[in-house]
């Protein structure tokens, strides 16, 4: 059995994992992921009890109970790289014996739910709606670094998408990865199903033009017009593909649900979106408490 070197899995002197600063006993098997550290407090405001609060850099964690169900909420910050850190370290907390640095003989499955915000790229999707990402599209290339990528991705839709958009060879190869279908059923009555693009940036990777012109100014129009059977791409965000991909490879359940706060087709955005997000969180917690 492989013993993981200290350079591969860094454990702090207090027994916590390197970035998250968490110890194995401080996480639940249900973990809610949010981008904004300030949103951790919003989620935890619904908890009846809190047992621990830990913070390091952009990673803030509170573990407590909601309707008697133990849950953890963790902020990841913005972007795919932080999902790589967060999901890998959460899996290590659940499935690595820190004393031996070996994988535990029995696998623990975590339920990882990202609750975020997003921009719609179809004209009929309204600000305030919640999208369940049935499939996430990684523009980031992260999963391409991991063995088993092709075994968990939908290669047919990937090929069709690249042909439709005339995908540039200068860009990372996109990957299409499904979120956990049982979580789609759990959140089905409060969400609208879609295909979500996770972009490696907020500006040009999502087609925005401030001072620097995007390499392909027509890419968003190509994305909007893409169809695969009766399916279409619905929204942009920045984390869902890595979450779904890593969780699938590691044997966890994961999904992303996002409140729409911008209408990219109508060139409109809502800055007063907190009531929509709060309602999404409350509704999702009610469903997670039944697991």
């Amino acid at each position: 059995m492989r013993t993981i070197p200290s350079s591969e899995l860094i454990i702090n002197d207090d027994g916590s994992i390197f970035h998250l600063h968490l110890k194995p006993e401080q996480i639940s098997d249900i973990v809610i992921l949010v981008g904004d550290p300030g949103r951790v407090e919003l989620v935890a405001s619904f908890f009846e009890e809190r047992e621990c609060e830990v913070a390091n850099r952009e990673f803030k964690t509170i573990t407590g109970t909601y309707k008697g169900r133990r849950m953890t909420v963790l902020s990841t910050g913005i972007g795919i790289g932080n999902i790589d850190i967060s999901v890998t370290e959460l899996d290590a907390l659940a499935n690595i014996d820190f004393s031996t640095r070996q994988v535990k003989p029995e696998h623990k499955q975590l339920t990882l739910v990202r609750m975020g915000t997003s921009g719609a790229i179809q004209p009929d999707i309204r600000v305030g709606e919640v999208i369940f990402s049935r499939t996430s599209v990684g523009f980031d290339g992260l999963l391409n670094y991991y063995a088993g990528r092709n075994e968990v991705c939908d290669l047919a839709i990937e090929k069709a998408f690249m042909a439709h958009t005339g995908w540039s060879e200068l860009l990372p190869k996109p990957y299409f990865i499904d979120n956990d279908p049982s979580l789609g059923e759990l959140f089905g009555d409060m969400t609208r199903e879609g295909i979500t693009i996770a972009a490696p940036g907020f500006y040009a990777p999502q087609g925005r033009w401030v001072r620097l012109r995007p390499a392909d100014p027509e890419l968003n129009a190509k994305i909007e017009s893409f169809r695969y059977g009766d399916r279409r791409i619905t929204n942009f965000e920045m984390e869902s593909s890595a979450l779904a991909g890593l969780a699938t490879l590691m044997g966890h359940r994961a999904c992303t649900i996002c409140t729409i706060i911008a209408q990219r087709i109508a060139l409109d955005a809502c800055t007063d979106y907190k009531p929509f997000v709060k309602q999404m969180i409350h509704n999702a917690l009610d469903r997670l408490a039944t697991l």
Side-chain angles (χ1 to χ4, degrees), residues 45-105:
S45 69
F46 291 100
F47 292 175
E48 292 99 16
E49 296 179 356
R50 303 185 188 195
E51 64 181 71
C52 72
E53 298 188 28
V54 177
N56 179 54
R57 301 187 184 185
E58 58 267 65
F59 308 107
K60 180 177 180 179
T61 306
I62 298 177
T63 295
T65 56
Y66 177 76
K67 293 188 174 180
R69 189 68 164 90
R70 189 169 184 252
M71 300 182 188
T72 296
V73 55
L74 164 70
S75 62
T76 63
I78 295 175
I80 295 292
N82 281 356
I83 295 296
D84 185 51
I85 290 169
S86 300
V87 175
T88 300
E89 295 195 359
L90 285 168
D91 176 74
L93 289 163
N95 290 305
I96 303 295
D97 184 326
F98 281 17
S99 62
T100 64
R101 293 183 166 274
Q102 295 179 346
V103 177
K104 295 177 181 178

Side-chain angles (χ1 to χ4, degrees), residues 7-291:
S7 60
E8 308 294 286
L9 177 66
I10 303 172
I11 300 172
N12 299 315
D13 291 341
D14 65 355
S16 65
I17 202 158
F18 186 57
H19 294 93
L20 304 186
H21 277 214
L22 293 170
K23 300 177 183 179
E25 65 272 15
Q26 291 178 312
I27 66 163
S28 165
D29 58 358
I30 295 176
V31 183
I32 299 153
L33 304 174
V34 296
D36 182 0
R39 200 171 294 156
V40 172
E41 181 58 40
L42 175 58
V43 175
S45 69
F46 291 100
F47 292 175
E48 292 99 16
E49 296 179 356
R50 303 185 188 195
E51 64 181 71
C52 72
E53 298 188 28
V54 177
N56 179 54
R57 301 187 184 185
E58 58 267 65
F59 308 107
K60 180 177 180 179
T61 306
I62 298 177
T63 295
T65 56
Y66 177 76
K67 293 188 174 180
R69 189 68 164 90
R70 189 169 184 252
M71 300 182 188
T72 296
V73 55
L74 164 70
S75 62
T76 63
I78 295 175
I80 295 292
N82 281 356
I83 295 296
D84 185 51
I85 290 169
S86 300
V87 175
T88 300
E89 295 195 359
L90 285 168
D91 176 74
L93 289 163
N95 290 305
I96 303 295
D97 184 326
F98 281 17
S99 62
T100 64
R101 293 183 166 274
Q102 295 179 346
V103 177
K104 295 177 181 178
E106 293 187 9
H107 177 264
K108 176 187 272 190
Q109 184 183 63
L110 301 175
T111 297
L112 308 172
V113 178
R114 166 167 152 70
M115 300 185 193
T117 54
S118 183
I121 55 172
Q122 296 294 340
D124 58 301
I125 300 175
R126 302 182 307 276
V127 169
E129 287 193 75
V130 179
I131 300 292
F132 170 81
S133 304
R134 174 179 161 190
T135 302
S136 293
V137 187
F139 277 10
D140 50 273
L142 177 75
L143 215 63
N144 301 338
Y145 289 89
Y146 286 93
R149 176 256 201 230
N150 281 358
E151 286 68 36
V152 299
C153 291
D154 188 329
L155 304 183
I157 190 172
E158 176 185 302
K159 182 178 179 180
F161 176 79
M162 292 177 68
H164 177 82
T165 57
W167 195 255
S168 170
E169 64 180 14
L170 297 177
L171 300 175
K173 187 176 183 180
Y175 57 93
F176 284 67
I177 178 78
D178 286 342
N179 288 249
D180 186 89
S182 68
L183 295 176
E185 294 177 9
L186 184 70
F187 298 121
D189 66 337
M190 59 168 280
T191 62
R192 179 171 183 167
E193 183 185 281
I195 299 177
T196 299
I197 290 174
F202 185 76
Y203 291 99
Q206 296 186 39
R208 289 184 172 92
W209 184 350
V210 182
R211 287 189 61 229
L212 298 179
R213 181 178 182 269
D216 182 357
E218 301 304 315
L219 181 57
N220 276 18
K222 298 173 188 176
I223 292 168
E224 181 194 351
S225 65
F226 175 70
R227 297 292 183 273
Y228 192 75
D230 62 352
R231 303 187 66 201
R232 60 183 183 162
I233 295 171
T234 50
N235 58 314
F236 271 117
E237 52 86 76
M238 296 177 65
E239 289 87 15
S240 66
S241 58
L243 173 59
L246 293 174
T248 300
L249 289 172
M250 293 174 177
H252 301 301
R253 298 197 303 169
C255 77
T256 293
I257 58 174
C258 282
T259 299
I260 298 299
I261 66 168
Q263 223 320 326
R264 298 297 306 280
I265 304 302
L267 302 179
D268 186 28
C270 173
T271 55
D272 185 23
Y273 56 80
K274 289 183 179 179
F276 296 130
V277 172
K278 186 174 182 178
Q279 188 62 53
M280 173 185 69
I281 291 169
H282 194 186
N283 290 342
L285 290 177
D286 280 343
R287 287 153 183 78
L288 287 171
T290 66
L291 295 177

